[in-house]
Amino acid sequence: SQQGEEDPQALSIQEGENATMNCSYKTSINNLQWYRQNSGRGLVHLILIRSNEREKHSGRLRVTLDTSKKSSSLLITASRAADTASYFCATDEGSARQLTFGSGTQLTVLP
Amino acid sequence: GAGVSQSPSNKVTEKGKDVELRCDPISGHTALYWYRQSLGQGLEFLIYFQGNSAPDKSGLPSDRFSAERTGGSVSTLTIQRTQQEDSAVYLCASSLVTTGGDEKLFFGSGTQLSVL
């Protein structure tokens, strides 16, 4: 079953604009991660936020976590055409070691 | 190697045949995962190996699917009597295991399986 669910499913923006993607989950977590996937192949880890953190930054990425709402957002600022990819959130379920991935947001950045 | 290596990158097979997919994780990574991704979908967890512990097989969709990890390194995912619905990209990932439980997964490029 899917733990994280991303919203929107698809997002198209102009280069230079900001892109915001949201993720909701159902059960308690230790941490939440965001991954990027190009061309339907291997995923690349972007950022991890722990359950006791509310916000984290990495370059042009900003992630927030609201455990009371069981939701997270990924903001990409000043987007570039090269940011075009699918973005997935992934959560661990308590003591389970496996990560559960959502269905992803397809981001298209138009030059 | 520098990253997670999967082979073959593409596999076309006929319905009813068996296939083996291989994953060579990053050296020193004790955790290894198999996921399946159908076209345009998210990742479906299949199986998880950690060191010498019994694998977590809770995601395997049927008894036609099995996996092993020899010597704590290379893993093979076997699908017997393949069906058309098995067509997907099969992704392998490995990670270090930390006491904090915040492992980051490193993925291979996947095997695109097409069952005709």
Side-chain angles (χ1 to χ4, degrees):
Chain A
S1 62
Q2 297 287 351
Q3 165 73 323
E5 293 295 335
E6 286 87 345
D7 167 59
Q9 289 187 326
L11 178 62
S12 184
I13 60 174
Q14 294 293 132
E15 206 164 27
E17 294 181 336
N18 296 341
T20 299
M21 289 159 271
N22 303 297
C23 168
S24 60
Y25 57 93
K26 297 186 177 73
T27 63
S28 64
I29 60 172
N30 293 315
N31 65 67
L32 184 145
Q33 304 184 36
W34 285 90
Y35 287 79
R36 167 194 165 123
Q37 184 180 40
N38 285 37
S39 304
R41 287 304 185 116
L43 281 73
V44 175
H45 178 269
L46 294 176
I47 195 166
L48 179 151
I49 187 166
R50 294 189 175 84
S51 59
N52 61 354
E53 297 176 312
R54 292 296 167 259
E55 188 170 313
K56 201 161 183 179
H57 296 252
S58 177
R60 294 183 296 113
L61 304 180
R62 172 178 169 249
V63 170
T64 62
L65 179 64
D66 187 334
T67 53
S68 66
K69 295 181 180 177
K70 293 187 170 58
S71 68
S72 172
S73 68
L74 171 67
L75 169 68
I76 304 175
T77 61
S79 63
R80 305 167 183 167
D83 294 330
T84 294
S86 292
Y87 292 83
F88 294 86
C89 67
T91 56
D92 62 344
E93 297 181 54
S95 61
R97 286 294 193 179
Q98 52 142 311
L99 286 185
T100 305
F101 286 78
S103 52
T105 293
Q106 171 63 52
L107 173 67
T108 302
V109 181
L110 302 169
Chain B
V4 177
S5 177
Q6 289 189 246
S7 61
S9 57
N10 288 282
K11 176 72 177 178
V12 179
T13 190
E14 292 179 347
K15 178 181 172 182
K17 294 284 178 76
D18 297 351
V19 294
E20 283 190 352
L21 311 180
R22 176 188 168 105
C23 173
D24 199 344
I26 292 172
S27 178
H29 281 192
T30 56
L32 187 146
Y33 309 73
W34 282 98
Y35 287 87
R36 175 169 75 172
Q37 185 178 31
S38 299
L39 187 63
Q41 301 298 310
L43 276 68
E44 175 189 1
F45 168 76
L46 296 178
I47 189 168
Y48 165 72
F49 295 90
Q50 165 45 24
N52 296 321
S53 302
D56 177 356
K57 304 179 182 180
S58 60
L60 294 178
S62 78
D63 59 7
R64 297 186 295 104
F65 288 72
S66 63
E68 61 178 24
R69 188 178 184 191
T70 53
S73 180
V74 172
S75 176
T76 302
L77 176 68
T78 301
I79 308 174
Q80 296 177 310
R81 305 181 301 282
T82 52
Q83 303 295 313
Q84 288 182 331
E85 61 262 29
D86 299 334
S87 296
V89 175
Y90 288 80
L91 292 162
C92 175
S94 69
S95 72
L96 290 169
V97 175
T98 66
T99 55
D102 56 353
E103 293 90 358
K104 304 170 193 175
L105 271 59
F106 293 80
F107 281 84
S109 297
T111 293
Q112 171 70 64
L113 175 66
S114 300
V115 182
L116 304 179

